[in-house]
């Protein structure tokens, strides 16, 4: 999939024509205030966020070589912000998050770098979770902290196997 160039005042879509919105949300990279980022070797991705008070499902890429920001054709399966994030060499992962209506989410989302596609994994968080922190090793991603339900601290550490996408809570 080819990225579309994003300019501050408009969006340039896959065909090269300009538009003022993406999926019904006015799109201006300057106005996006809450983003979650993922990094690959030649580009960084930002997913979801809040744009002028509207929770978005938009995915953007920053190409390092040209320092150009581009709108990715794929979108998150659900608009959200404040999720935990980590990445393997092939995919970015987001744990939970806050959807449009508030609260938390139990879904884990994956974004494949090779074809720039996003999907919800079959594994899920045991409780609605938002605002967790993500780190990684070479084989696994880990999420810690967060809140669930709303404003209740979560102290567990969760593990996501990159090879199998199995998700579990550590006993330690």
């Amino acid at each position: 999939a080819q990225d579309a160039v994003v300019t501050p005042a408009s969006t340039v879509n896959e065909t090269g024509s300009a538009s003022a919105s993406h999926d019904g949300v006015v799109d201006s990279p300057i106005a996006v205030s809450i983003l979650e980022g993922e990094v690959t070797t030649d580009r960084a991705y930002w997913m979801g966020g809040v744009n002028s008070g509207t929770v978005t499902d938009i995915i953007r890429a920053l190409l390092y070589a040209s320092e150009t920001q581009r709108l990715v054709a794929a979108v998150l399966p659900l608009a959200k912000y404040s999720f935990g994030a980590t990445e393997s060499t092939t995919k970015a992962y987001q744990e939970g998050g806050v959807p449009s209506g508030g609260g938390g989410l139990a879904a884990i989302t994956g974004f494949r770098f090779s074809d720039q596609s996003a999907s919800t994994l079959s594994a899920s968080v045991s409780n609605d979770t938002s605002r967790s922190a993500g780190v990684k090793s070479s084989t696994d991603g880990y999420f810690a902290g967060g809140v669930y339900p709303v404003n209740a601290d979560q102290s567990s550490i969760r593990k996501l196997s990159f090879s199998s996408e199995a998700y579990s809570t550590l006993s330690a």
Side-chain angles (χ1 to χ4, degrees):
Q2 185 176 3
D3 299 325
V5 176
V6 175
T7 61
S10 66
T11 299
V12 179
N13 62 26
E14 295 288 288
T15 61
S17 60
S19 67
S21 66
H22 179 72
D23 288 343
V25 177
V26 175
D27 187 42
S28 171
I30 294 169
V32 175
S33 60
I34 303 171
L35 294 172
E36 304 292 337
E38 298 299 336
V39 179
T40 62
T41 56
D42 67 338
R43 67 187 66 200
Y45 290 96
W46 287 272
M47 303 170 196
V50 177
N51 184 349
S52 301
T54 301
V55 180
T56 72
D57 57 1
I58 295 169
I59 302 171
R60 291 187 175 85
L62 170 67
L63 305 178
Y64 295 134
S66 63
E67 294 184 339
T68 304
Q69 185 176 191
R70 299 182 178 273
L71 186 63
V72 174
V75 295
L76 293 174
L78 180 66
K80 60 183 178 175
Y81 67 97
S82 288
F83 46 82
T86 190
E87 83 278 346
S88 69
T89 57
T90 60
K91 258 185 171 176
Y93 296 95
Q94 303 86 34
E95 177 196 60
V98 178
S100 295
L105 295 170
I108 301 171
T109 304
F111 175 76
R112 189 180 359 264
F113 299 131
S114 63
D115 64 2
Q116 296 186 332
S117 63
S119 61
T120 302
L121 275 58
S122 59
S124 65
V125 184
S126 60
N127 294 296
D128 290 351
T129 301
S130 65
R131 298 174 183 92
S132 59
V135 295
K136 67 176 182 175
S137 70
S138 60
T139 58
D140 304 297
Y142 298 90
F143 300 98
V147 294
Y148 81 90
V150 179
N151 298 322
D153 289 334
Q154 179 168 307
S155 59
S156 67
I157 298 173
R158 286 92 53 208
K159 175 182 174 180
L160 176 68
S161 167
F162 293 145
S163 62
S164 67
E165 295 186 336
Y167 182 83
S168 60
T169 299
L170 301 181
S171 59

